[in-house]
Structure formats: C-alpha cells, structure tokens
C-alpha cells in the first residue's frame, strides 16, 4: 500500500487523506491512479492553468472545500494563478477584472453553466419522480 501511495503524490509529499482512504481498496486505488495520472498529467487537452481554473471553480461551486484546498495548496502557484484569481474562482465571476484572457473567462462560464444546468436537472428529476403516473389506479 505504501508503494502505491508514493506513486500518487509528488516526491517528498506525504499522501493526502483522500488517497489514504482510497488505498484501503488497492484495486480501486490502482485504477484511480491511472485515471488521475491522465487528468493531472501532460496529456490532458487542457493546460495546467486551464485545468486548475476548471477544478477550483467546480470545487467552489460544489462546496468541495477539501478538494479545493488541496488544489490551491499543490497547484495554484504552478498554474500561475494569482491570489485575485483564486479569490474570483471561489466567490467571484468571469467578468472580474483579474480575468484578462478570454479563454480563462470562458472556462469559468462553462463550469458555471454546467453547474447551473445540473441544479435545474435535479429539480426536473424530482418533479418527474414525484409526479403521479397517468393511468395509475
């Protein structure tokens, strides 16, 4: 288990709590590691900066404080995100003055649109699930 955990973190960093929890199921951890290497690796079609914009905005919108904190701590500096950008991703909007690149603002809008669509879908599923069926006796 220790060897697997060592492959999941940058050299010299102890494994985060989430990975230690996953490691209790070694086959799942190995599968997750392969997926994670792609999602966090150089082969992803997004740049490091773009990936972190999407992850941090998604975490903020979904109230995933733990994952948000891990990504700020480990990747924000590497992604060259400024403190103003991290703040905006957390509680701002794509029109904030820190977003000077159209692509960055577009990524934020896309995350927001997907998140908001998901909220509408939750309501739709609830209405559909609780509506009486026609012809029901």
């Amino acid at each position: 288990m220790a060897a697997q955990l060592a492959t999941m973190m940058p050299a010299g960093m102890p494994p985060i709590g989430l990975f230690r929890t996953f490691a209790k199921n070694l086959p799942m951890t190995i599968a997750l590691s392969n997926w994670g290497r792609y999602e966090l690796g150089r082969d992803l079609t997004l740049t490091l900066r773009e990936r972190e914009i999407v992850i941090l905005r998604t975490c903020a919108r979904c109230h995933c404080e733990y994952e948000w904190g891990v990504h700020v701590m480990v990747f924000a500096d590497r992604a060259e995100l400024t403190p103003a950008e991290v703040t905006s991703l957390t509680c701002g909007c794509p029109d904030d003055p820190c977003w000077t690149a159209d692509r960055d603002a577009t990524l934020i809008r896309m995350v927001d649109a997907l998140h908001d669509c998901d909220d509408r879908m939750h309501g739709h599923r609830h209405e559909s699930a609780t509506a009486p069926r026609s012809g029901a006796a």
Side-chain angles (χ1 to χ4, degrees), residues 11-26:
M13 286 189 78
I16 61 175
L18 179 67
F19 292 166
R20 290 192 308 269
T21 300
F22 286 161
K24 296 183 185 307
N25 181 333
L26 197 55

Side-chain angles (χ1 to χ4, degrees), residues 60-89:
R61 292 297 309 268
C62 295
H63 307 287
C64 298
E65 293 89 359
Y66 177 82
E67 189 71 15
W68 179 90
V70 168
H71 278 266
V72 168
M73 180 183 73
V74 176
F75 296 108
D77 285 342
R78 293 182 201 175
E80 298 180 359
L81 291 169
T82 67
E85 290 169 336
V86 171
T87 299
S88 177
L89 288 168

Side-chain angles (χ1 to χ4, degrees), residues 33 40 60 86 91 93 114 121 123 125:
S33 296
L40 300 176
V86 171
C91 56
C93 73
L114 288 169
M121 290 304 294
R125 283 195 308 250

Side-chain angles (χ1 to χ4, degrees), residues 48-115:
L48 170 66
R49 178 181 174 81
E50 292 167 347
R51 181 195 78 204
E52 290 307 308
I53 287 171
V54 169
I55 289 173
L56 289 174
R57 185 58 167 202
T58 301
C59 287
R61 292 297 309 268
C62 295
H63 307 287
C64 298
E65 293 89 359
Y66 177 82
E67 189 71 15
W68 179 90
V70 168
H71 278 266
V72 168
M73 180 183 73
V74 176
F75 296 108
D77 285 342
R78 293 182 201 175
E80 298 180 359
L81 291 169
T82 67
E85 290 169 336
V86 171
T87 299
S88 177
L89 288 168
T90 307
C91 56
C93 73
D95 296 322
D96 288 341
C98 60
W99 302 113
T100 57
D102 287 339
R103 184 161 168 90
D104 291 350
T106 298
L107 288 168
I108 297 165
R109 284 187 182 90
M110 290 172 62
V111 169
D112 289 351
L114 288 169
H115 183 272

